[in-house]
Amino acid sequence: QANVINLKTFLSAVRLAHQGNDTGVLPLSPLVPAKNSDVEKPKTKMIITSRRDYPLTKSFPFSLEHLQTSYCKLARIDSRVLCLKKLRKLDLSHNHIKQLPATLGDLVCLQELDLHDNHLEAFSGALCFSPGLQKSLQFLDLSQNQIQALPLEFCQLRGLVQLRLDDNALLRLPCRIGQLSRLRFLSAARNKLPFLPSDFRKLSLENLDLFGNPFEQPNPLVPNIQLKIPSTLLECAARATVNHRIPYGCHLLPSHLCKDLEVAKTCRCGSACLSSFIQITVTMNLHHVAHTVVLVDNMGGTDAPILCYFCSLECYSQFLDRHLQSN
């Protein structure tokens, strides 16, 4: 940005000074303060909304904190974008992205990620292990994609405040969704959800939208019985590990057993069960978990079926007695 003549004069003066010449004869002009217009401020925001404006030869400024590249027909996330370590907001909506790279988790300052209207079929579980994203990511928009299920690890993104999953092909929500303790806004309208996971009860939302899902009619009198009597040694050990909060990890147990323990069911009595249980669906009014609820259907309802588990016939019988008496 410098004036060429002035720059050459300055460099000549530096050379003469380095050679030990008398400073009185150096060709220096009077110092003139730089104007604001002469100083280029670091660029923090860039918005690109067409393919022809997308930079193919120029690199993105490393100072960017907000980048939007929409309607650019991108089939993948540009590797140059993944080097922008200061990014706080990344908008890649309205593209053709099919897969997310694991290196997306290297954007440790990322607070908002918009992937609305792409061709995603899955959300990588590897992203959920990124310590940066676990703490920083607050807003995630995955609406209008082709996702059928979110990985178990998704619930490691415990900084999430707003999550949009509308217009996908979701058959279920993550079974440990209750771990998202900071989540306040959840929308999963127009998916294929037959019921909600039992952990859904733990959420504390401000706004919830589940409109247009084919929820099943709950029937507590038709249980799915998976009880194994007598219980296997594996089931007993697993229940004891969870109930007594015994530490475990892949350094102590095979990885598949660790994954099983992470998705252990919780009985209405508070005890854990692994692969031996009774499962039913019951009705839950969504106002129990959200202040504002968008109607579930066109009939004005705010009830939805939710999974319920029992660790034994005794627990199920006690629930059934109370249910029949209340009706």
Side-chain angles (χ1 to χ4, degrees):
Q1 301 296 324
N3 179 283
V4 176
I5 296 176
N6 290 342
L7 180 59
K8 288 183 177 179
T9 303
F10 172 73
L11 292 176
S12 298
V14 171
R15 184 177 67 253
L16 292 171
H18 181 66
Q19 293 172 353
N21 290 287
D22 184 3
T23 57
V25 299
L26 296 180
L28 288 174
S29 59
L31 184 63
V32 178
K35 300 177 183 178
N36 288 335
S37 57
D38 296 333
V39 181
E40 185 177 356
K41 296 180 180 179
K43 195 168 187 177
T44 60
K45 185 176 182 179
M46 179 181 287
I47 297 178
I48 305 167
T49 55
S50 67
R51 179 72 173 178
R52 68 175 180 273
D53 295 331
Y54 193 83
L56 297 177
T57 55
K58 295 174 60 178
S59 60
F60 293 98
F62 285 104
S63 55
L64 282 181
E65 296 179 7
H66 177 187
L67 174 61
Q68 177 180 348
T69 56
S70 302
Y71 302 99
C72 295
K73 299 181 180 179
L74 299 177
R76 59 182 179 82
I77 298 180
D78 195 328
S79 59
R80 293 174 297 169
V81 173
L82 302 173
C83 296
L84 305 177
K85 303 302 183 183
K86 294 184 178 180
L87 270 186
R88 296 181 181 275
K89 182 175 181 179
L90 178 57
D91 186 344
L92 298 168
S93 59
H94 306 287
N95 282 295
H96 301 161
I97 298 171
K98 296 182 178 181
Q99 193 173 4
L100 300 177
T103 47
L104 184 63
D106 294 339
L107 302 178
V108 294
C109 295
L110 195 62
Q111 296 177 353
E112 300 183 28
L113 177 58
D114 191 344
L115 293 162
H116 169 76
D117 188 21
N118 274 280
H119 297 169
L120 292 172
E121 296 181 355
F123 188 88
S124 173
L127 290 176
C128 308
F129 286 119
S130 165
L133 287 186
Q134 287 180 2
K135 296 179 180 178
S136 66
L137 193 62
Q138 300 176 18
F139 172 89
L140 178 59
D141 190 344
L142 296 172
S143 57
Q144 280 194 279
N145 280 280
Q146 302 162 18
I147 301 173
Q148 294 187 5
L150 294 171
L152 174 65
E153 298 84 3
F154 185 85
C155 298
Q156 297 296 320
L157 300 175
R158 299 186 184 181
L160 280 178
V161 176
Q162 186 166 350
L163 176 60
R164 295 179 179 175
L165 302 169
D166 309 294
D167 299 293
N168 275 280
L170 285 171
L171 298 171
R172 65 179 185 274
L173 293 176
C175 64
R176 285 287 179 252
I177 194 170
Q179 293 179 350
L180 301 178
S181 58
R182 296 186 61 193
L183 193 64
R184 295 296 176 264
F185 301 88
L186 172 61
S187 57
R190 295 173 298 278
N191 278 279
K192 299 180 180 179
L193 299 174
F195 42 72
L196 302 174
S198 60
D199 217 45
F200 201 87
R201 297 177 184 274
K202 298 179 182 179
L203 293 176
S204 179
L205 306 172
E206 293 181 21
N207 190 283
L208 173 62
D209 184 0
L210 295 174
F211 179 80
N213 281 284
F215 287 125
E216 296 178 353
Q217 187 67 28
N219 188 353
L221 302 179
V222 183
N224 175 15
I225 300 177
Q226 300 289 333
L227 280 179
K228 299 173 183 176
I229 302 175
S231 295
T232 64
L233 180 58
L234 176 61
E235 181 73 19
C236 294
R239 291 187 180 191
T241 300
V242 177
N243 291 336
H244 297 288
R245 299 181 181 181
I246 300 173
Y248 64 89
C250 293
H251 62 292
L252 296 173
L253 299 174
S255 59
H256 71 278
L257 288 181
C258 292
K259 290 181 178 180
D260 289 344
L261 288 170
E262 289 172 2
V263 296
K265 289 89 175 165
T266 303
C267 176
R268 294 286 285 244
C269 72
S271 298
C273 44
L274 201 69
S275 58
S276 179
F277 56 84
I278 297 176
Q279 174 189 293
I280 62 172
T281 53
V282 296
T283 300
M284 181 184 71
N285 191 300
L286 298 177
H287 281 292
H288 288 313
V289 296
H291 181 267
T292 302
V293 177
V294 176
L295 300 181
V296 173
D297 50 43
N298 293 323
M299 304 300 292
T302 57
D303 292 342
I306 186 169
L307 288 178
C308 187
Y309 295 98
F310 302 94
C311 63
S312 65
L313 283 171
E314 181 181 1
C315 286
Y316 176 61
S317 298
Q318 291 176 359
F319 165 81
L320 202 57
D321 289 341
R322 291 193 300 268
H323 174 76
L324 294 175
Q325 289 174 8
S326 64
N327 291 334

